[in-house]
Amino acid sequence: AIMHFTHAMEALLDEMRAGRMPSTRQSIDLLLRAADIVSQMLATAQSGATPEAATGAAVLEELKALMEGNGEALTAPLV
C-alpha cells in the first residue's frame, strides 16, 4: 500500500520537475495531503500493524486522475 501510494506521488513530482505538469495550488495541496497519509501509513507500520488498504484511497485516486489528465481543476498554474 505504501509503495503504490508513494509511487503515485513520485510520478506527479517527476512530471512537475520535467515541466510537463504545472505546479498549482491544488496539486501542491494534494501532494501535502498525500504526504500526511504516508506519515500515517509509516506510523502504522512502525507500530507493527499493516496499514489498511483503504487508507488514502481517495487521495490516491485524485493523484491518478491528475496524472491521467482527468484532474483539470488541479492544473491551472499558480499565478
Side-chain angles (χ1 to χ4, degrees):
I2 297 172
M3 181 181 70
H4 291 114
F5 203 87
T6 56
H7 179 72
M9 292 173 66
E10 181 182 13
L12 177 56
L13 288 167
D14 285 344
E15 291 296 306
M16 290 174 150
R17 265 192 301 272
R20 293 183 293 264
M21 175 79 58
S23 296
T24 66
R25 186 175 315 274
Q26 294 85 1
S27 62
I28 298 299
D29 181 57
L30 178 58
L31 285 166
L32 291 172
R33 288 188 292 142
D36 289 342
I37 291 168
V38 170
S39 292
Q40 293 171 7
M41 290 176 166
L42 290 173
T44 300
Q46 287 173 338
S47 72
T50 301
E52 293 184 26
T55 302
V59 171
L60 181 58
E61 288 306 312
E62 287 182 61
L63 287 166
K64 288 178 180 179
L66 184 58
M67 290 299 298
E68 294 169 358
N70 298 326
E72 292 86 8
L74 297 177
T75 60
L78 288 173
V79 184

